[in-house]
Amino acid sequence: MSTFLVVSALVLLATIGAGLVRVSRGPTAADRMLCAQLFGTTGVAALLLLAEAYDRPPLRDVALIFAILAALVLTVFVKHAAIHRHSRDGA
Amino acid sequence: MVLDGLSLLAVTAGVLFFVSGTLGILRFPDVFSRLHALTKADGLGLGLIVLGLALQATSLAVIGKLALVWIVAALSGSTACYLMAHFELERAQEPHDRA
Amino acid sequence: MIGLEVVFDVSVAVLLVVLALESLYTPNLFTSIAFFIAFGLVMALAWVRLQAPDLALAEAAVGAGLTGVLLLDAAREIAAVRGVERTPRSMVRLTSLLVAAGVGVALVAALLEVPPRAAGLAEAVREALPLTAVEHGVTSVLLDFRALDTFFETAVLLLAVITVLVLQAHQHVRIIPWELSASPVLSGLVGLLAPVVLVFSGYLLWAGTHAPGGAFQAGVLLGAGGILLELAGVHTVSRLPRRALRWLLSLGVAGFALLSGTLLLAGRGLLELPGAGARTIVIALEIAIAVSVALTVVSLVVGSNLRLEPPEQEP
Amino acid sequence: MDTFLTFALTGVVLFSLGLQEVLARPGVLRMLIAVNVMGSGTLLFFVSLAHRHADGPDPVPHALALTGIVVTLAATAAGLALARGLHRLRAEGSGGRVEGGRVEGGRSQGAGYERGRSESGRDEQGRADR
């Protein structure tokens, strides 16, 4: 069972690698940031799998932090973009 | 044994959803469909993996934490999707003179 | 047959190097920041592989989250976002390449000298652990064996936050409102997440006594929660009276200073914890550190953007 | 190749990459990213050294690396605050334009950002998408 879980985590790692193509290609800023978010969700899943496979409960805490911080980064990104637009419109 | 099989099935399905989500962001033509592919497929994928792992869990506390992780990830994922789509939509409606 | 572990390690290592290369050499600064955030996420996986869950917890919050937030925020303001950034002259580039390659080769040479197996201090820590106030190795190193390091770390944090706040106090330019223009969806998310963050950072603080977790991880997470609140327009830290903020920011340093002063007066060594009550002292210190780390994190991120006047309306 | 060697080598590579960029790049933000990469490399090297035992890793480097992560965050924040302060001062002092083309735009902070963007024809914020 644990081998299966580790292999699953490896596949998820591979999808992160593939997603990098979209980050570098863009073309929109949303694409890039969203991929960072995607890595968050995928990372959460991989961590949960590893926590079970290696029997390391603290990794579930790491996964929870990933999920919370992904929300923060994305929010700051959107704010950054929104303010940028405001300053352009206001000027 | 049945539980093991179910859990195997759920985790496999979850991983497949992640793979299809990544295929979506690589292949889909515009940012909205990519957003859609990414957040929906990954949300479901994570849900299935959490389900599969919960079937393996030995204590209620572990199940609780798995559920919490899933709820937080689903909340932040869907909010992120909404904010991004909103942001892109507004941008698309702007006059294009500066582009 | 190559072991699964090796495949995993090498995948993580390759991803790290690729992400570092991309974030360093992508011409577009914004893309570079996106890559840097992904780099932080993969760093957390590397810590997991190195069996350092404490570091994975901290990295997930700091490397993958807060540093990215800081960079995004600064990139918004500083004009050198793209184009205007000069590419280095070829002479400079060549020299830097040579220097970096030389350092790299020297480090690899040194690495080959390192014995592949070593005792380190793991045994010593395990033996001494029953003598300390807590049951988790990393926490006991931080707050017992090497409490002096942690003392100075809190001082460094205080110094950094003073730098940020002083710089902010001398700005006379228009400060851009920091929070997102009211979005019901975002406020909803924050409303749901804030209690989770609060409870979870309390849990991490408590867990630190016997498992991975502790004051720094809890503080950083609590700070992230505070930033989320500020973003949603719920002003907690930025509404604190200045005097209270100052005290709370220095709570960690003050705790350590008070403790070491008391211990010295009592005729003990510097930060040599008494046997009885050591656990209470360590937990009190942890709480003090967590509070000041959390406020430091919020001030570092929001402080550069704090409004000097009462909130002005968005145009 | 065990875990120790893999990550120690990765640490060396990250450190060298970051160092090269720190030495070569003129931009402040890039430099701070590079310093962060260097720092990650250092900590990776250091913590992988702790992973050389049969029975569990050494907690002392873990504690020191934890300190390192938090201090790096603080240093990055202070560096960024200084960079932003410098940027504002330059923007104020020059009333808009500064030699070297580093700072453009006057007191309104959005302006410099915006102008920098339209000058370089890169695809930032997805111009190329349309």
Side-chain angles (χ1 to χ4, degrees), chain B residues 5-93:
Chain B
L6 277 179
S7 140
L8 217 85
L9 207 68
V11 171
T12 313
V15 171
L16 283 180
F17 270 106
F18 271 102
V19 171
S20 63
T22 306
L23 274 181
I25 65 161
L26 288 179
R27 302 290 306 158
F28 280 0
D30 66 290
V31 66
F32 293 107
S33 50
R34 286 195 289 262
L35 261 170
H36 184 76
L38 180 70
T39 46
K40 269 58 168 192
D42 280 15
L44 191 52
L46 184 63
L48 284 169
I49 287 181
V50 164
L51 183 70
L53 291 174
L55 291 175
Q56 293 278 314
T58 45
S59 76
L60 220 58
V62 171
I63 296 179
K65 201 177 264 176
L66 284 172
L68 184 64
V69 171
W70 179 69
I71 290 171
V72 169
L75 273 177
S76 67
S78 47
T79 309
C81 179
Y82 163 81
L83 288 174
M84 280 297 190
H86 200 71
F87 161 66
E88 279 296 320
L89 195 65
E90 264 187 27
R91 219 197 37 157
Q93 287 166 348

Side-chain angles (χ1 to χ4, degrees), chain C residues 254-269:
Chain C
F256 268 115
L258 194 69
L259 178 64
S260 45
T262 317
L263 287 174
L264 281 179
L265 282 180
R268 303 181 71 92

Side-chain angles (χ1 to χ4, degrees), chain A residues 20 32 39 54 66 77 79, chain C residues 5 30-31 73 178 180:
Chain A
L20 288 182
R32 291 170 206 226
F39 296 174
Y54 295 130
F66 261 47
F77 163 72
K79 174 212 70 155
Chain C
E5 315 276 288
F30 179 76
T31 313
D73 236 10
W178 202 70
L180 202 69

Side-chain angles (χ1 to χ4, degrees), chain C residues 234-246:
Chain C
V234 183
H235 298 287
T236 48
V237 176
S238 53
R239 284 275 164 77
L240 273 180
R242 265 308 163 90
R243 188 182 294 273
L245 183 63
R246 279 177 205 152

Side-chain angles (χ1 to χ4, degrees), chain A residues 76-87:
Chain A
V76 169
F77 163 72
V78 174
K79 174 212 70 155
H80 149 100
I83 284 176
H84 158 71
R85 186 167 44 241
H86 273 300
S87 68

Side-chain angles (χ1 to χ4, degrees), chain C residues 166-187:
Chain C
V166 163
L167 278 168
Q168 176 256 322
H170 288 278
Q171 300 299 320
H172 299 294
V173 287
R174 182 172 67 94
I175 308 281
I176 300 171
W178 202 70
E179 79 267 23
L180 202 69
S181 45
S183 156
V185 176
L186 181 65
S187 327

